[in-house]
Amino acid sequence: AKGLPLIVDNTSATPYLCRPFEHGADIIVHSLTKFMNGHGNSLGGAIVEKGDFNWGASPEKFPILAQPCASYHGMVFYDVFGKDGPVAEMFGTKGKTGMSFAIAARALGLRDAGPCMAPMNAFLINTGIETLPLRIQKHCSNAVAVAEFLTGHEQVQACSYTGLKSNPNNAMINQYCPKGAGSLFTFSLKGGFEAAKQVVNNVKMISLVANLGDCRTLVAHPASMMHRQLNEEQQKAAGASPDVIRITVGLEDPKDIIADLKQALDSIVSAKM
């Protein structure tokens, strides 16, 4: 309505769980390092353009795409690579879809910043994508089991997993991600900052890593890790309160994941005794 593109980061859901173009998105971005690769062994990213957004409708809003580019001899990216341009005509999609955003990202962003994926990374990521449906199904079923366990543990204050029927956003998951709610969520502890630190330091099979979307179950304590330079108010505003632990549930047997979390959570009780 405002003449702006809707850009969706679909990293944690992946195309298997959520298809943003079907819900009005114009551009989708992925950190391929996460679930798409699935093994934590490669760095990569992707920009997927739907191709029917009219960047030329408001040239002043999108000068890089809709106004002459001096470094390319005055070429207008949207005029050449947009849905009504000669390149779309060459591919048989004229009037329907183009690729002006993606081409500009490569011709300008890649040229200036150099974010070119290494060939080995591309090979490993592509290999991981081949098993995406099987992996995501297991991620989701394991996440439900783990979230149900956490919800019932006496040391857990709250669990944010939207795949639980008790979650206030569960209806939205059914609408946008009917195959599952993924495996990335947070839970908070009654014991606060120190209890959260103790739990992430006491897990044994689970890995304490700042990454997410691995085949292995990963935990992180944002307040003492990624968000430690923020004050408490800023941490809370970012959803990283001192008592919050982030978890990405992996592909291990759910009983093993739960057993490791249980012994780590029970260690809080042991420390108080």
Side-chain angles (χ1 to χ4, degrees):
K2 300 294 184 180
L4 298 173
L6 174 61
I7 302 176
V8 175
D9 185 339
N10 202 31
T11 295
S12 61
T14 79
Y16 180 77
L17 294 179
C18 184
R19 301 170 66 86
F21 286 154
E22 296 176 2
H23 302 289
D26 298 295
I27 295 169
I28 301 171
V29 295
H30 295 276
S31 172
L32 299 177
T33 308
K34 313 302 192 301
F35 290 100
M36 295 286 273
N37 170 32
H39 298 83
N41 56 15
S42 303
L43 293 174
I47 299 172
V48 187
E49 181 182 8
K50 187 178 182 182
D52 61 357
F53 186 81
N54 187 356
W55 302 98
S58 302
E60 70 284 355
K61 288 183 180 178
F62 313 108
I64 293 176
L65 296 175
Q67 292 183 12
C69 180
S71 60
Y72 284 96
H73 312 289
M75 179 186 70
V76 177
F77 280 96
Y78 182 68
D79 290 349
V80 177
F81 299 101
K83 62 185 179 67
D84 298 314
V87 174
E89 183 176 15
M90 181 178 67
F91 283 107
T93 62
K94 188 171 183 177
K96 298 178 182 178
T97 59
M99 59 180 80
S100 53
F101 186 91
I103 292 295
R106 291 183 63 85
L108 299 175
L110 184 64
R111 178 199 66 187
D112 295 342
C116 182
M117 189 185 299
M120 189 62 186
N121 283 6
F123 169 75
L124 292 170
I125 290 170
N126 190 58
T127 301
I129 290 174
E130 291 176 356
T131 61
L132 181 67
L134 294 174
R135 289 188 290 104
I136 296 299
Q137 289 171 20
K138 181 63 172 174
H139 277 299
C140 291
S141 62
N142 279 2
V144 171
V146 170
E148 289 176 344
F149 160 74
L150 290 170
T151 301
H153 196 282
E154 63 179 357
Q155 294 295 331
V156 176
Q157 180 71 39
C159 175
S160 72
Y161 188 58
T162 51
L164 295 174
K165 292 182 179 179
S166 58
N167 188 283
N169 295 313
N170 184 252
M172 294 183 68
I173 284 294
N174 293 333
Q175 179 182 356
Y176 294 108
C177 301
K179 293 181 180 179
S183 69
L184 171 64
F185 60 96
T186 61
F187 60 97
S188 58
L189 301 182
K190 296 175 182 178
F193 181 86
E194 292 301 327
K197 278 184 61 178
Q198 188 177 348
V199 167
V200 299
N201 285 325
N202 285 349
V203 291
K204 297 178 180 179
M205 180 194 74
I206 296 170
S207 300
L208 174 57
V209 181
N211 191 30
L212 56 93
D214 202 320
C215 59
R216 296 162 282 270
T217 297
L218 310 177
V219 293
H221 180 222
S224 65
M225 296 170 64
M226 302 85 73
H227 295 70
R228 65 178 298 173
Q229 294 183 338
L230 303 181
N231 61 43
E232 187 170 335
E233 288 185 7
Q234 292 171 327
Q235 289 174 350
K236 290 179 179 179
S241 298
D243 57 352
V244 165
I245 293 174
R246 188 185 74 186
I247 184 169
T248 309
V249 181
L251 305 181
E252 306 94 341
D253 189 298
K255 293 181 180 179
D256 291 335
I257 302 171
I258 290 171
D260 196 11
L261 286 170
K262 184 178 186 304
Q263 66 82 22
L265 288 165
D266 290 347
S267 70
I268 301 173
V269 180
S270 299
K272 291 180 178 180
M273 293 178 65

